[in-house]
Amino acid sequence: MSKTLWFLSFFLLPSICNALDIKMQSSVQQWSTATPSERGLNEVVLEELHREFEDGKHGYVNSFLIVRGGNLVFERYYDVDYERLTKTSKLQQASIMENNYGDNATSQYNYHDPEWHPYYQDTRLHTIQSVTKSVTSALFGIAIRRGELASLDERIFQYFPRLMSLFEDPLKKSITIRDLLTMSAGIKWDEFTHLYTNPLNDAASMESSDDWLKFILSPPMDFPPGEQFVYNSGITILLSHILQKSVDMPVDEYAQKYLFEPLGIKDFYWKKTPRGLTDTESGLYLTSKDFMKLGQLYLDKGNWGGAQILPEGWVDSTMAPAFDTGYMGNSYGFQWWLAPYDGGGDNWMFSGSGYGGQYLLIIPEYELVMVFNGWNIFDKARPAKEYLASRVLEGIVSGEQVE
């Protein structure tokens, strides 16, 4: 996998919740609505995909929403009986985890436990899994804007005095925050070769360890920082620790105050690690409509209702492809996937992508934001984000302009 040689320059600028009560209220700011045709979309095309979701053609999908031109134009939900679906597998998975991890195995990482997945304890809060990483990236932009983080080129070792012995390798000591954001830290890691029930899977083993930071930083270096992309969920946990130290506040509380409240997001849940760190690799739960707000924020370059939530230039820098991932033509920015799409030419689709079929897809060219939530971890593969986007793009009325 080769490194693309173009970053946008930036970042020398100075510039709930296990610990919080969950408030089950509606979001303060509601979406304005329009019909698909009013926003240049063919409703027949969208309804066809909707019926396929209803019929289970694409596995276990829970929601399908589209915003175009700032209007919610399509919103559908699908009920799946996860209690029935996991009646046997929940216990089987619990047994595997107990055998592999003993007392460190916890229900919140038993992905077959319907108390946790995909909805949180009978609420409408849906796991967004690894799109949590993309939300974490936004918080770093906010910390830059607020002057709480001076530069993404700071070396990270200074944030881990308790684990300083793990930074004896000069290569590891040279890792920067930017290297973490782009998944290019160089620490040896493998979470794709083995299933998440296998202790050889580093992400699964991390989630069942009692000291996540030590687990993440203990492996040797595989290559120099900033040289190669390797997907590593542990990297984003290091970002959680660094952000908490920088802003002197738990990450979930920081997100609530400076990101969720400005967006009118009142209902959320965010897992914590065994030592109380906010689980920024996969731990956030949101309603599908609130999930959509994060996409609209990025479509509008960090602006929400006239307020600049993210710093000027942050979205462009975040979405500047830093690395070729070696996967279906995708590149990677700051904890976001960048995917090609039909007819996009040199344009990218901004993609938050999470385990089980959590997709937040943004196509600036068409002022389009899409949300798909699901839980395809059983007998059917999740549909690819590129496929889902192509189906929606079929509904773009030729020549129609969004006001």
Side-chain angles (χ1 to χ4, degrees):
M1 289 177 273
S2 61
K3 179 177 178 182
T4 306
L5 298 177
W6 50 293
F7 279 107
L8 294 182
S9 60
F10 196 69
F11 315 133
L12 293 177
L13 302 176
S15 278
I16 29 242
C17 347
N18 285 345
L20 299 172
D21 292 332
I22 299 173
K23 303 172 182 177
M24 298 309 297
Q25 307 161 352
S26 299
S27 297
V28 172
Q29 182 167 339
Q30 302 298 328
W31 285 104
S32 60
T33 60
T35 65
S37 60
E38 287 173 335
R39 283 291 174 256
L41 286 163
N42 186 330
E43 190 162 2
V44 174
V45 172
L46 303 182
E47 286 290 345
E48 182 179 356
L49 182 56
H50 159 60
R51 286 193 297 272
E52 291 175 13
F53 289 149
E54 277 191 320
D55 294 341
K57 183 176 179 179
H58 303 290
Y60 308 103
V61 176
N62 300 124
S63 61
F64 170 29
L65 288 78
I66 300 175
V67 164
R68 192 175 191 209
N71 295 126
L72 180 63
V73 298
F74 204 80
E75 180 183 9
R76 300 291 188 271
Y77 299 93
Y78 313 95
D79 290 328
V80 178
D81 188 351
Y82 289 108
E83 287 284 352
R84 180 191 60 78
L85 194 61
T86 61
K87 184 177 181 180
T88 300
S89 61
K90 172 186 174 180
L91 297 177
Q92 291 174 337
Q93 175 71 1
S95 177
I96 291 170
M97 292 180 69
E98 184 177 356
N99 288 338
N100 287 344
Y101 308 115
D103 292 340
N104 288 327
T106 59
S107 294
Q108 63 179 328
Y109 297 105
N110 178 349
Y111 294 109
H112 292 250
D113 186 343
E115 282 291 298
W116 286 98
H117 305 288
Y119 292 99
Y120 173 68
Q121 297 187 358
D122 295 323
T123 69
R124 300 310 293 174
L125 299 177
H126 199 287
T127 180
I128 66 169
Q129 287 295 304
S130 284
V131 193
T132 306
K133 297 176 173 71
S134 305
V135 177
T136 303
S137 173
L139 298 178
F140 271 78
I142 292 172
I144 287 280
R145 179 180 62 80
R146 289 175 46 80
E148 294 159 327
L149 193 64
S151 169
L152 298 187
D153 295 314
E154 288 184 343
R155 296 188 177 192
I156 70 168
F157 73 89
Q158 62 186 310
Y159 291 95
F160 300 92
R162 176 176 69 88
L163 300 171
M164 195 57 67
S165 63
L166 299 178
F167 287 93
E168 292 179 354
D169 185 335
L171 281 181
K172 190 176 288 186
K173 199 169 186 178
S174 70
I175 296 171
T176 66
I177 296 172
R178 188 189 301 273
D179 296 327
L180 300 185
L181 285 170
T182 57
M183 294 280 187
S184 62
I187 300 173
K188 188 175 180 62
W189 191 268
D190 179 5
E191 66 178 271
F192 282 150
T193 304
H194 307 280
L195 296 175
Y196 279 89
T197 57
N198 190 323
L200 295 178
N201 182 303
D202 286 330
S205 293
M206 174 194 71
E207 290 177 345
S208 295
S209 66
D210 65 345
D211 188 342
W212 289 25
L213 295 178
K214 183 177 180 180
F215 183 93
I216 299 158
L217 290 170
S218 290
M221 296 295 288
D222 223 6
F223 50 84
E227 184 176 279
Q228 183 174 324
F229 170 88
V230 170
Y231 191 79
N232 180 339
S233 290
I235 288 297
T236 319
I237 294 298
L238 300 183
L239 289 172
S240 180
H241 175 82
I242 290 168
L243 187 61
Q244 178 171 304
K245 291 292 186 183
S246 298
V247 303
D248 195 27
M249 186 185 301
V251 170
D252 55 344
E253 294 181 20
Y254 189 78
Q256 181 186 40
K257 186 172 183 178
Y258 296 111
L259 179 60
F260 296 159
E261 286 186 1
L263 297 182
I265 296 175
K266 297 296 183 182
D267 311 335
F268 71 97
Y269 185 84
W270 210 326
K271 296 178 187 177
K272 295 292 184 73
T273 73
R275 298 199 176 199
L277 197 62
T278 305
D279 177 4
T280 50
E281 49 103 27
S282 68
L284 182 58
Y285 294 72
L286 294 168
T287 67
S288 295
K289 274 189 175 180
D290 284 342
F291 192 26
M292 181 76 77
K293 291 180 179 180
L294 297 167
Q296 189 66 39
L297 178 69
Y298 271 79
L299 180 65
D300 291 338
K301 304 287 189 180
N303 190 283
W304 182 262
Q308 193 67 35
I309 307 300
L310 305 177
E312 297 282 354
W314 177 261
V315 172
D316 289 339
S317 298
T318 294
M319 302 304 182
F323 289 93
D324 176 7
T325 68
Y327 173 76
M328 292 184 65
N330 282 221
S331 291
Y332 203 74
F334 290 163
Q335 306 280 292
W336 284 83
W337 295 87
L338 305 165
Y341 59 93
D342 293 344
D346 293 331
N347 298 320
W348 295 98
M349 174 172 68
F350 307 160
S351 308
S353 179
Y355 182 57
Q358 323 315 318
Y359 294 126
L360 178 61
L361 308 179
I362 307 160
I363 304 183
E365 178 184 2
Y366 294 111
E367 296 185 45
L368 191 64
V369 182
M370 297 163 276
V371 157
F372 301 89
N373 287 125
W375 203 231
N376 277 313
I377 70 167
F378 305 106
D379 53 337
K380 299 179 182 179
R382 71 184 191 185
K385 60 185 183 295
E386 292 84 358
Y387 170 79
L388 294 173
S390 71
R391 293 293 303 275
V392 173
L393 288 173
E394 288 174 6
I396 299 288
V397 176
S398 178
E400 188 74 23
Q401 297 296 315
V402 178
E403 296 178 2

